[in-house]
Amino acid sequence: MAEQPQPISPVKNFFAGGFGGVCLVFVGHPLDTIKVRLQTQPKPQPGQPLLYSGTFDCFRKTLVGEGVRGLYRGMAAPIVGVTPMFAVCFFGFGLGKRLQQRTPDDILTYPQLFAAGMLSGVFTTVIMAPGERIKCLLQIQAATGETKYSGSLDCAKQLYREAGIRGVYKGTVLTLMRDVPASGMYFMTYEWLKNILTPEGKSVSDLSVPRILFAGGLAGIFNWAVAIPPDVLKSRFQTAPAGKYPNGFRDVLRELIREEGVASLYKGFTAVMIRAFPANAACFLGFEVAMKFLNWIAPGL
């Protein structure tokens, strides 16, 4: 296995991870909006067609009906959350690696890297769950023609007023079910690809931009291949009216399978996969560039 970089400092991790997260949201949010609208579109009346026939139909209708701004609805919540979330995410991965190292020079196996990535998924859920709840509600709002929330802050206030902190954190278990295994796959795949793409005798820290983009983009594909089914359940659960699913995700799963079949667990698959490569390529490139900059201006930090 190729050389692995040593765990980075929390301060550098915060800024580099935050910058990478901002890059990911800016590049990937339009297709995230399409994904959520496809996952949460209402069941049509008998004889009526679906609101959206697929990814490109949803994209076209959103663009025609709402303009470019419609594709970026709900972006404020993830933007506000990305800096601490990705800082915690990358810090969690670094901590997971460090906890498994007996000495700083130990090279971790891929199962160990997967375990370290899973830890990062646990860390990020505290920030991710409420951000995802608010984002999903705002993304489907325009499609329903109902304007209940004026923005992210108003949405958070109303959720808290209606159900307290539990209302804001609705869907936390499903967020964990999505992010813990998916984060393990995400980081393990990225490290694996960096290793195999590193020329003989070179360091992974010297990878070219195209190779970083390729590794980051493919890591995003592998991440979402694991995450899509629990993500569909999470989107449904987080946008459902209070009390609709008293037994949580089990009720959502039963309803989806009964009414729409197993294929419904992969709703939004095309939008997710189209988004995954460029968004995560941008994330890891942003992270690596920011890290090099921080190492240059503050090598001892």
Side-chain angles (χ1 to χ4, degrees):
M1 188 179 295
E3 175 193 359
Q4 295 173 12
Q6 296 302 313
I8 58 178
S9 76
V11 175
K12 289 179 181 177
N13 193 62
F14 179 86
F15 289 106
F19 183 70
V22 170
C23 293
L24 180 144
V25 172
F26 186 77
V27 172
H29 192 80
L31 279 160
D32 187 72
T33 298
I34 302 303
K35 177 205 71 173
V36 170
R37 290 188 177 184
L38 287 170
Q39 290 175 344
T40 58
Q41 64 176 318
K43 187 179 179 182
Q45 297 296 321
Q48 296 294 317
L50 285 167
L51 180 60
Y52 308 116
S53 62
T55 299
F56 297 104
D57 181 55
C58 184
F59 181 84
R60 181 183 61 80
K61 287 179 177 176
T62 301
L63 199 58
V64 170
E66 305 167 51
V68 174
R69 290 183 64 182
L71 296 170
Y72 282 92
R73 290 198 185 277
M75 192 173 75
I79 281 288
V80 168
V82 288
T83 298
M85 184 187 72
F86 274 82
V88 170
C89 179
F90 280 90
F91 172 76
F93 179 57
L95 178 62
K97 290 194 294 182
R98 181 178 293 175
L99 289 173
Q100 297 180 89
Q101 287 180 318
R102 294 180 179 178
T103 69
D105 297 325
D106 281 352
I107 303 299
L108 299 181
T109 64
Y110 290 118
Q112 287 176 313
L113 291 171
F114 186 87
M118 289 176 68
L119 182 63
S120 77
V122 174
F123 276 31
T124 58
T125 297
V126 175
I127 301 168
M128 178 72 85
E132 287 279 300
R133 169 98 155 115
I134 293 165
K135 171 182 71 69
C136 289
L137 287 170
L138 291 173
Q139 285 173 328
I140 68 166
Q141 176 175 263
T144 61
E146 190 181 323
T147 307
K148 182 178 180 181
Y149 310 111
S150 61
S152 299
L153 186 58
D154 180 56
C155 182
K157 286 179 179 178
Q158 289 196 44
L159 290 173
Y160 185 78
R161 193 182 308 124
E162 292 168 3
I165 197 68
R166 292 185 65 181
V168 177
Y169 273 88
K170 181 179 179 180
T172 298
V173 172
L174 280 164
T175 305
L176 277 169
M177 289 173 61
R178 181 193 69 175
D179 288 350
V180 170
S183 293
M185 181 64 71
Y186 188 53
F187 282 106
M188 183 189 72
T189 302
Y190 182 64
E191 294 290 336
W192 169 63
L193 287 169
K194 284 204 303 180
N195 287 334
I196 66 173
L197 291 171
T198 301
E200 190 70 31
K202 298 287 186 178
S203 169
V204 291
S205 60
D206 297 324
L207 275 182
S208 65
V209 168
R211 294 186 180 199
I212 292 172
L213 289 171
F214 179 77
L218 209 55
I221 295 288
F222 276 78
N223 170 81
W224 278 104
V226 173
I228 288 178
D231 185 64
V232 173
L233 298 177
K234 180 196 68 67
S235 294
R236 280 291 182 103
F237 184 69
Q238 287 186 319
T239 58
K244 182 176 180 181
Y245 301 116
N247 296 312
F249 72 89
R250 290 172 294 176
D251 285 349
V252 188
L253 180 60
R254 277 194 291 264
E255 180 186 84
L256 278 172
I257 298 298
R258 182 179 65 250
E259 297 185 356
E260 302 177 47
V262 176
S264 63
L265 293 173
Y266 287 88
K267 278 191 171 184
F269 180 85
T270 303
V272 167
M273 289 307 172
I274 291 173
R275 170 187 179 270
F277 193 95
N280 289 283
C283 173
F284 276 110
L285 180 62
F287 175 81
E288 298 287 1
V289 168
M291 186 56 63
K292 285 189 177 183
F293 178 74
L294 290 169
N295 287 334
W296 177 62
I297 64 170
L301 188 62

